[in-house]
Amino acid sequence: MSKFLRFATTAFFAVSLSTTALAGTLVINSDQSDPAPRKGMEALIEKFKKENPDIDVKLNVFDKESYKTSIRTWLSGESPDVVYWYAGERMKFFVDRKLFEDVSDVWAANKGAEAMPSTVGSVTVDGKQYGVPYTYYNWGIYYRKDLFEKAGIQQPPKTWAEFLDACAKLKASGVAPIVIGSKALWPTAGWFDYLNLRVNGMDYHMKLMAGQVPYTDKGVKDVFDKWAELIRPGYFIENHASYTWQESQPLFYQGKGAMYLIGNFITPEFPADVRDKMDFFQFPKIADQPMYEDAPTDTVHIPARAKNKVDAKKFLAFYMRPDVQTELNSVLRQIPTNKDAKPSDDRFLQAGYKMLSAAAGTAQFYDRDTDPSLAQEGMKAFQEFMIIPDRGDEILTRLEARRKQVFKQ
């Protein structure tokens, strides 16, 4: 059987492309359109083809924004055989609607729970697995060692009191303690996640994400109170709502700001002339809670309406292998989910890998863990709070009204 690999590129019009699985063909739809992820994915599909010469592979690649819209159409209609997606609530949304296939047999046959203990929970619903995680990345605080030294900070802060002290010293030295670009909203969710995980713990955080805790609850107000301890003294860089995260980076590299809470994906962006000045530390401890972390996880799934589920399960088993994950994550500069895979030697990646390996548990990220429509309202609320903290109670009351609307549906 001849092999066939077609790369259909991006753009919304691509939705009209046929994504229907044909007999003997494995149809894969992906949103990995950025250069590095696409390069890694294409290389692995070539590897899969060589190992399975009797399987024809048809790959359709879409830009991320059109993919988020069109995947719902595919899953409820003529489905491809494999889709790339995300763990957590984003996966569960489709599981609850019976649009993703139970792949627990793939996990059992390949001892997946033993190989990927830190991420099995992120694709499990009611004891069954509905996808395969192949990469994740850490969040934490990247900082300028030279600015810390100039401000007289001897070591990265480990507690909230030390963190506040570091912020005060940095501000006194003439730099903004914390850089953020909140124009696109999602960076604010990193702050909310970490403050909630450190103040209230994982169980509370996930119940809030599932709509089981009111936003007017004392626990959420406690989070806003801690956040205000950074906002009111002016520890975040000015005019952050006018910058995207990309637009805010030069302020960090120019030494106008000293710390940035962000994912590991920022590290390839570090300019060569400041890279040696950069370092990383774990978000400081606040209350008596285990150290939970944000670790967004990317996954592959089989749609319930897929026609070629036999070969699709071969592909998912392929993505579970340590050699496959080592190869792919070396391109992505992220962390493989298989504990026997080898992460890159990059010092920032190694720091994140060490931190996640010791984590008491991981969350996906605010906009992956809660309902999508509530996530958007939540992130708007976080940005507003960062600009006008005096509106905290009003903002939470408004967000609570939205929670009631979303979760009664």
Side-chain angles (χ1 to χ4, degrees):
M1 182 179 293
S2 63
K3 293 180 289 184
F4 174 57
L5 178 65
R6 187 179 72 179
F7 299 100
T9 311
T10 63
F12 190 76
F13 68 80
V15 175
S16 63
L17 289 172
S18 172
T19 59
T20 306
L22 302 175
T25 300
L26 183 67
V27 179
I28 300 173
N29 282 12
S30 171
D31 64 345
Q32 301 296 298
S33 57
D34 291 337
R38 180 167 183 158
K39 179 182 177 183
M41 177 182 62
E42 291 175 355
L44 285 186
I45 287 178
E46 287 298 320
K47 185 183 181 81
F48 179 77
K49 288 167 56 183
K50 289 180 180 177
E51 295 182 11
N52 300 275
D54 60 329
I55 300 175
D56 291 344
V57 179
K58 177 182 176 183
L59 174 64
N60 299 307
V61 183
F62 302 86
D63 73 272
K64 288 184 179 294
E65 293 309 311
S66 68
Y67 193 89
K68 290 175 185 175
T69 303
S70 50
I71 189 172
R72 300 188 185 198
T73 303
W74 306 328
L75 295 181
S76 58
E78 296 291 342
S79 290
D81 300 307
V82 174
V83 294
Y84 284 67
W85 196 234
Y86 309 103
E89 181 63 27
R90 286 195 182 183
M91 180 203 76
K92 188 173 180 295
F93 179 86
F94 292 129
V95 171
D96 289 345
R97 289 155 180 78
K98 303 186 186 306
L99 294 175
F100 276 164
E101 183 81 358
D102 174 5
V103 294
S104 300
D105 55 340
V106 178
W107 278 77
N110 295 277
K111 299 182 178 179
E114 297 175 28
M116 299 183 286
S118 61
T119 53
V120 59
S122 69
V123 292
T124 299
V125 177
D126 296 333
K128 298 178 181 178
Q129 288 74 51
Y130 288 89
V132 168
Y134 62 90
T135 186
Y136 63 165
Y137 57 89
N138 65 280
W139 272 66
I141 298 178
Y142 295 86
Y143 73 102
R144 293 280 300 253
K145 291 185 291 185
D146 57 328
L147 299 183
F148 268 45
E149 183 177 348
K150 180 183 175 184
I153 303 168
Q154 302 300 317
Q155 61 183 12
K158 294 183 178 180
T159 67
W160 189 246
E162 291 175 357
F163 187 67
L164 292 176
D165 182 63
C167 287
K169 288 177 177 175
L170 287 163
K171 188 172 176 64
S173 74
V175 301
I178 305 167
V179 178
I180 185 172
S182 67
K183 184 178 180 180
L185 303 179
W186 61 263
T188 64
W191 279 96
F192 181 82
D193 272 8
Y194 266 101
L195 288 167
N196 198 27
L197 289 168
R198 293 291 187 265
V199 171
N200 296 309
M202 179 65 81
D203 185 59
Y204 182 95
H205 182 67
M206 295 315 295
K207 285 181 178 176
L208 181 69
M209 297 299 99
Q212 298 169 6
V213 175
Y215 271 87
T216 48
D217 187 74
K218 181 179 180 303
V220 183
K221 291 184 177 181
D222 288 345
V223 167
F224 268 36
D225 286 345
K226 288 297 179 189
W227 207 344
E229 291 176 12
L230 302 175
I231 299 169
R232 295 188 191 284
Y235 292 158
F236 289 98
I237 201 154
E238 293 182 353
N239 301 318
H240 54 77
S242 63
Y243 305 118
T244 64
W245 85 275
Q246 293 99 334
E247 291 165 347
S248 67
Q249 287 181 58
L251 303 172
F252 193 30
Y253 306 144
Q254 293 164 8
K256 296 178 180 177
M259 298 184 282
Y260 207 137
L261 173 65
I262 199 74
N264 183 64
F265 49 79
I266 194 175
T267 63
E269 310 291 333
F270 291 162
D273 60 334
V274 298
R275 189 173 183 81
D276 288 344
K277 298 176 181 175
M278 298 291 185
D279 213 334
F280 170 83
F281 66 88
Q282 185 178 29
F283 196 97
K285 190 176 184 65
I286 299 179
D288 185 21
Q289 294 286 347
M291 297 296 269
Y292 302 108
E293 309 295 340
D294 260 347
T297 306
D298 294 348
T299 50
V300 285
H301 305 268
I302 300 175
R305 293 171 177 263
K307 292 182 173 58
N308 190 359
K309 294 180 182 178
V310 172
D311 290 337
K313 289 186 176 181
K314 290 181 181 177
F315 188 79
L316 262 60
F318 175 77
Y319 254 57
M320 296 174 90
R321 285 172 22 190
D323 63 312
V324 169
Q325 291 197 10
T326 296
E327 184 176 337
L328 179 57
N329 282 279
S330 68
V331 177
L332 298 177
R333 290 191 176 186
Q334 294 183 178
I335 301 170
T337 58
N338 190 310
K339 64 182 178 59
D340 296 320
K342 184 180 179 182
S344 163
D345 291 335
D346 177 87
R347 67 184 173 97
F348 296 109
L349 200 60
Q350 285 291 329
Y353 176 72
K354 181 180 179 181
M355 183 183 74
L356 292 184
S357 297
T362 58
Q364 289 300 302
F365 195 70
Y366 185 79
D367 66 352
R368 293 188 180 195
D369 281 327
T370 195
D371 183 277
S373 60
L374 182 61
Q376 190 64 18
E377 293 303 315
M379 292 187 295
K380 287 180 184 176
F382 302 154
Q383 185 204 50
E384 181 180 352
F385 179 66
M386 290 189 69
I387 298 170
I388 312 174
D390 289 344
R391 290 184 185 170
D393 288 345
E394 175 188 338
I395 289 169
L396 290 178
T397 298
R398 194 167 65 237
L399 194 53
E400 170 58 12
R402 182 58 182 153
R403 180 196 71 85
K404 289 180 177 177
Q405 289 178 346
V406 168
F407 285 98
K408 77 175 183 180
Q409 296 172 1

